[in-house]
Amino acid sequence: MVEDEVAMAETVRDGLRHEGFTVDLVHDGPEGLWTATEKPYGAYDVIVLDIMLPGLSGYEVCRQLRAGQVWTPILMLTAKDGEYDQADALDLGADDYLTKPFSFVVLIARLRALVRRGAPERPAVLRAGDLTLDPAERRVLRGDTQVPVTPREFALLEFLMRHRGQAMTKTAIIENVWDAHFDGDPNIVEVYIGYLRKKIDHPFGRNAIETVRGAGYRLAEEG
């Protein structure tokens, strides 16, 4: 737990210990980052992280952890209750967000849910070879070249990159990129696949988006 309000942090720590959790408590950003990265990977089931911390903000701690491929679930516990504060934290790689004042019962339930979920790889910035997609910045790069895409093209590419190496059916693409109740022409998927190929593949001599006969489309692992 990384929290600079010492009295509150100690109260929460004692409550968590009473519920059976083993808790390490630090009070600033740099120490929190060091503790989470220097201990053996897997030493922690969950990181509880404040945003407004001395030395290094919780946002930056979260960003650096994910950049360093530390996938331990992160719950932001903070007084910042704006919708953009929450969106920023989640886009940087946090898994959950709880605002102060909070219900201790809800905190326990959310921590248990995160422990059950485990720590699968879920990078904040998606990469396939030299193809990069940043959901927070809404930016696509092929190498060092920024590729302009429309919101729908971005959503389609993000879906394919999150499932890179897997063949995704038209139905799965429509349900996740358009809408589960979409009743238009399913060939719209082919149209947008074509748009993306003209932007991320053809100008760079690549063939990252593959057609899998009878199955759908797949983004190659190496982009």
Side-chain angles (χ1 to χ4, degrees):
M1 182 174 182
V2 190
E3 170 60 64
D4 65 328
E5 295 181 37
V6 177
M8 188 275 285
E10 291 177 346
T11 298
V12 174
R13 177 199 60 195
D14 293 345
L16 291 174
R17 286 177 174 171
H18 182 73
E19 292 292 326
F21 290 90
T22 300
V23 184
D24 287 341
L25 179 61
V26 297
H27 300 297
D28 62 56
E31 190 176 2
L33 179 62
W34 183 89
T35 304
T37 53
E38 291 303 312
K39 288 215 173 184
Y41 181 60
Y44 295 108
D45 294 309
V46 183
I47 297 168
V48 179
L49 182 62
D50 190 13
I51 290 178
M52 295 179 288
L53 293 167
L56 202 65
S57 74
Y59 290 136
E60 185 61 18
V61 171
C62 181
R63 188 194 68 77
Q64 291 193 34
L65 287 175
R66 295 308 188 230
Q69 299 190 350
V70 175
W71 308 117
T72 307
I74 295 174
L75 183 146
M76 292 294 205
L77 185 64
T78 177
K80 293 175 73 68
D81 59 359
E83 58 184 15
Y84 288 105
D85 298 318
Q86 298 183 44
D88 287 344
L90 296 171
D91 279 340
L92 285 169
D95 299 271
D96 202 352
Y97 195 104
L98 189 60
T99 57
K100 304 171 186 175
F102 59 91
S103 161
F104 190 73
V105 172
V106 172
L107 173 63
I108 293 295
R110 291 191 177 189
L111 290 177
R112 286 176 175 155
L114 290 174
V115 170
R116 288 195 300 270
R117 186 184 306 170
E121 180 178 342
R122 51 196 184 285
V125 177
L126 306 179
R127 292 184 173 85
D130 68 347
L131 181 64
T132 305
L133 182 145
D134 186 335
E137 298 290 334
R138 310 299 292 179
R139 182 171 59 186
V140 175
L141 296 174
R142 173 65 87 177
D144 294 326
T145 303
Q146 185 161 344
V147 180
V149 293
T150 67
R152 187 74 70 186
E153 291 165 356
F154 187 95
L156 174 56
L157 181 59
E158 180 177 5
F159 179 70
L160 292 174
M161 290 188 73
R162 289 191 184 279
H163 299 87
R164 65 187 183 279
Q166 304 174 42
M168 307 308 298
T169 65
K170 281 186 182 180
T171 299
I173 291 171
I174 287 173
E175 288 179 352
N176 287 273
V177 177
W178 275 265
D179 185 273
H181 304 292
F182 177 79
D183 59 0
D185 186 346
N187 288 328
I188 191 69
V189 174
E190 294 178 24
V191 173
Y192 274 84
I193 289 289
Y195 292 159
L196 276 180
R197 283 172 169 159
K198 290 176 181 177
K199 293 184 176 183
I200 69 168
D201 277 350
H202 299 169
F204 303 94
R206 305 296 179 84
N207 187 29
I209 302 177
E210 305 168 341
T211 300
V212 182
R213 190 174 299 276
Y217 299 95
R218 175 176 59 212
L219 185 84
E221 284 275 3
E222 297 305 317

